[in-house]
Amino acid sequence: MNYEKWSLGYWLLKQYVRFVDWTIHDKIILSGTDNIPNNKPILIAPNHQNALSDPMAILLHTRFQPVWLARADIFKPGFITLALRFLKIMPVYRMRDGKDQLSKNDKTFADSIKVLENNGALALFPEAAHSAKRQMLSHKKAVPRIVFQAEEKADNNLDIHIVPTGIYYSSYWKFNRSVLVNFGKPILVNDFLDAYNENSSAATLALRDALEKAIEPLTINIKSKEHYECFELIRAIYGKAFAQKTGQQNGFVQRFKSDQQMVKKLDELESINKEKTDEICNATKQFDTDVRKHGLRSWLVENPENNFLKLGLNKLLLLITLPVFAFGFVFNAIPFFAIDTIVRKKIKDFAFWSSFSLVLGFTLFPIVYLLELWAVSGWLPLWWHKLLFLALLPFAGKLAFRWYILLLKTIGRGRLFILKTFRKQQWQNLKNQQEQLFDELNKLS
């Protein structure tokens, strides 16, 4: 197979999956695309936290048809291998696959060189595993070994650019999440070739460490093992207040940068004062527990002003848009809840939930949509009526989900109104608890 050649079939599939991916996300933001060089062989090296969603975040939103290098044990005989090759995924054999298998890497490296010689894009996860956490794993040596061997086989004439990449999700698996893809300044392999010729092992380690250092600022990396869950909870509860206190503007990218700063300060606090960290974490968990006892979320306690007005406006908006919700719900509920049930019950590792949801989504939804079109076609006499009906279904489904989220927020506001009006002492205790917690966290900034 000529991996370096542009594939029409790949391009057509990419357009369809890109649309499906758009329906899943609220926002898809690319940053630093000007760091991706033109007319140069590149290797894209992203962090890896969310299984199949990570390569999708790269290949769906760049101009390339990147060739991915993946561990050889996923290449099962038959359809799976054919599908992986169609998706431009090549096997890399490791010692654990058997010493006699390592020679098969010669073909992979030869194919990689062809891709690079044609100014194509390779892609490889330096961590060689996904963490399912906002936490970088130690980098392996695969990226430097591959680029050095490729340069060696091409007489150091490739001029490979490694593009460090950070992928950040607002949620790893929830529907309507947002994703940010940060492309960093490329690392030039040529800068390490002299060192490689003198001492290949030292140069391999140096390039590995340089790449790890370049990726870390592009993502959120909570280094704490003991307090990871707590720091994530603090991020959810206190993140907006921290952003405002540090002068960050509203927006997904700005909040990402603010959260980076806050996580760094929390890691620093843990390293110098573990007792204080434990105290803050215990207070945060208790506050979260108490908030949820009242059926609320922390953002309602943080910003209770104008709640009555917003409650009334939300109810009015829900009533006006109810027909839109009904249409979207009726024709999207079956595949949506079927996929959600299958994924939650059958997939034990939640790191794969988004991956299976995506795959099931772009296979099951079209089937259900066509069946629904057949069921209502008698009420749609003209062909363009049928086409319009079919085209509206995914958009209506997305609007129905947003209606549902607004409903949940309105219910929360209703509970807040009842708490503030009829249980004033409990409300005041909760508000005092939040203010005391924020006073402690404000010392971080």
Side-chain angles (χ1 to χ4, degrees):
M1 178 176 178
N2 297 321
Y3 290 98
E4 73 278 6
K5 290 188 176 181
W6 186 84
S7 167
L8 176 61
Y10 184 104
W11 182 85
L12 291 172
L13 178 62
K14 178 177 177 178
Q15 307 316 306
Y16 170 59
V17 177
R18 178 184 285 172
F19 174 75
V20 176
D21 192 65
W22 172 83
T23 64
I24 290 173
H25 290 91
D26 179 32
K27 297 184 183 71
I28 300 170
I29 300 174
L30 306 182
S31 177
T33 53
D34 54 330
N35 288 322
I36 303 176
N38 294 313
N39 300 318
K40 290 287 184 180
I42 66 171
L43 188 148
I44 302 173
N47 65 315
H48 196 18
Q49 298 178 351
N50 201 16
L52 181 62
S53 294
D54 292 338
M56 289 296 176
I58 302 297
L59 69 89
L60 293 179
H61 309 299
T62 62
R63 66 182 184 275
F64 304 103
Q65 294 187 351
V67 179
W68 292 84
L69 303 181
R71 65 179 195 267
D73 61 341
I74 69 172
F75 285 76
K76 307 298 182 183
F79 174 77
I80 292 179
T81 294
L82 290 174
L84 291 173
R85 293 189 184 282
F86 174 78
L87 295 173
K88 294 179 178 284
I89 301 175
M90 297 192 297
V92 175
Y93 295 86
R94 301 165 295 177
M95 187 65 73
R96 70 185 69 175
D97 299 314
K99 191 174 182 180
D100 58 320
Q101 299 292 310
L102 296 180
S103 60
K104 295 182 179 179
N105 283 332
D106 291 341
K107 183 177 187 321
T108 297
F109 288 134
D111 289 335
S112 298
I113 291 172
K114 287 182 181 179
V115 173
L116 295 170
E117 285 177 338
N118 286 273
N119 291 333
L122 291 179
L124 180 64
F125 295 110
E127 296 161 284
H130 66 264
S131 64
K133 291 183 177 181
R134 306 186 199 282
Q135 208 165 54
M136 281 180 57
L137 302 175
S138 298
H139 281 209
K140 309 304 180 186
K141 301 176 184 177
V143 170
R145 281 176 173 168
I146 287 172
V147 295
F148 282 140
Q149 289 185 39
E151 287 283 7
E152 200 170 35
K153 290 180 179 292
D155 297 323
N156 296 340
N157 290 320
L158 291 178
D159 190 20
I160 302 172
H161 287 50
I162 302 175
V163 181
T165 306
I167 307 172
Y168 168 73
Y169 304 88
S170 61
S171 170
Y172 284 129
W173 60 271
K174 289 181 180 179
F175 184 81
N176 210 42
R177 62 184 180 269
S178 296
V179 60
L180 169 65
V181 184
N182 285 315
F183 297 102
K185 292 185 178 180
I187 297 173
L188 308 185
V189 177
N190 281 352
D191 292 344
F192 293 83
L193 289 180
D194 289 341
Y196 180 76
N197 293 330
E198 293 179 8
N199 187 326
S200 60
S201 296
T204 296
L205 293 176
L207 181 51
R208 181 200 66 182
D209 294 344
L211 179 56
E212 185 170 359
K213 185 178 180 181
I215 292 176
E216 186 171 4
L218 304 174
T219 188
I220 289 180
N221 182 26
I222 300 176
K223 295 182 179 180
S224 174
K225 301 294 190 293
E226 179 180 351
H227 294 106
Y228 174 83
E229 299 297 338
C230 170
F231 289 179
E232 272 286 81
L233 185 58
I234 291 174
R235 220 170 54 83
I237 292 174
Y238 179 66
K240 182 178 179 180
F242 182 87
Q244 291 174 341
K245 189 170 179 60
T246 54
Q248 296 282 353
Q249 297 178 349
N250 290 329
F252 185 59
V253 176
Q254 290 76 14
R255 176 67 183 272
F256 164 79
K257 293 178 179 178
S258 172
D259 282 359
Q260 277 187 319
Q261 297 175 28
M262 182 172 64
V263 164
K264 184 178 180 180
K265 289 184 178 295
L266 287 169
D267 280 327
E268 290 173 352
L269 177 64
E270 182 187 46
S271 66
I272 61 176
N273 194 338
K274 185 178 180 301
E275 183 177 342
K276 187 64 175 178
T277 307
D278 290 339
E279 180 183 319
I280 289 176
C281 281
N282 290 334
T284 303
K285 292 174 184 176
Q286 187 60 55
F287 173 66
D288 183 61
T289 299
D290 292 344
V291 167
R292 291 178 183 274
K293 280 181 182 178
H294 295 287
L296 302 177
R297 292 295 182 267
S298 60
W299 61 271
L300 285 167
V301 182
E302 183 181 355
N303 297 299
E305 297 81 9
N306 300 321
N307 181 69
F308 183 76
L309 176 61
K310 290 182 178 179
L311 178 61
L313 291 175
N314 284 0
K315 286 183 177 180
L316 180 61
L317 183 59
L318 287 170
L319 183 62
I320 293 172
T321 56
L322 181 59
V324 176
F325 165 77
F327 176 76
F329 179 81
V330 167
F331 292 104
N332 286 272
I334 292 176
F336 182 87
F337 288 112
I339 291 171
D340 188 66
T341 301
I342 292 170
V343 168
R344 288 175 183 269
K345 289 188 175 181
K346 299 298 183 181
I347 310 303
K348 303 302 180 184
D349 186 351
F350 86 91
F352 285 95
W353 282 9
S354 63
S355 303
F356 278 89
S357 295
L358 176 64
V359 173
L360 290 172
F362 66 65
T363 53
L364 184 58
F365 269 91
I367 295 173
V368 174
Y369 284 168
L370 289 174
L371 290 174
E372 291 172 341
L373 175 62
W374 172 77
V376 303
S377 59
W379 289 277
L380 303 171
L382 300 178
W383 67 267
W384 66 269
H385 290 165
K386 295 180 175 64
L387 184 61
L388 179 62
F389 170 81
L390 196 62
L392 286 175
L393 291 181
F395 297 97
K398 191 163 184 172
L399 288 173
F401 183 83
R402 292 192 173 185
W403 189 97
Y404 171 70
I405 296 299
L406 180 61
L407 174 64
L408 293 181
K409 290 182 177 181
T410 304
I411 292 172
R413 290 191 182 279
R415 289 171 177 164
L416 176 62
F417 174 75
I418 292 173
L419 183 64
K420 290 179 65 179
T421 305
F422 301 106
R423 303 173 188 170
K424 294 183 179 180
Q425 188 57 52
Q426 292 182 38
W427 160 249
Q428 194 57 54
N429 292 339
L430 199 62
K431 189 61 181 175
N432 290 341
Q433 194 177 353
Q434 181 252 321
E435 289 175 352
Q436 290 171 10
L437 174 61
F438 278 30
D439 284 344
E440 287 297 320
L441 291 170
N442 283 339
K443 296 174 185 178
L444 293 171
S445 56

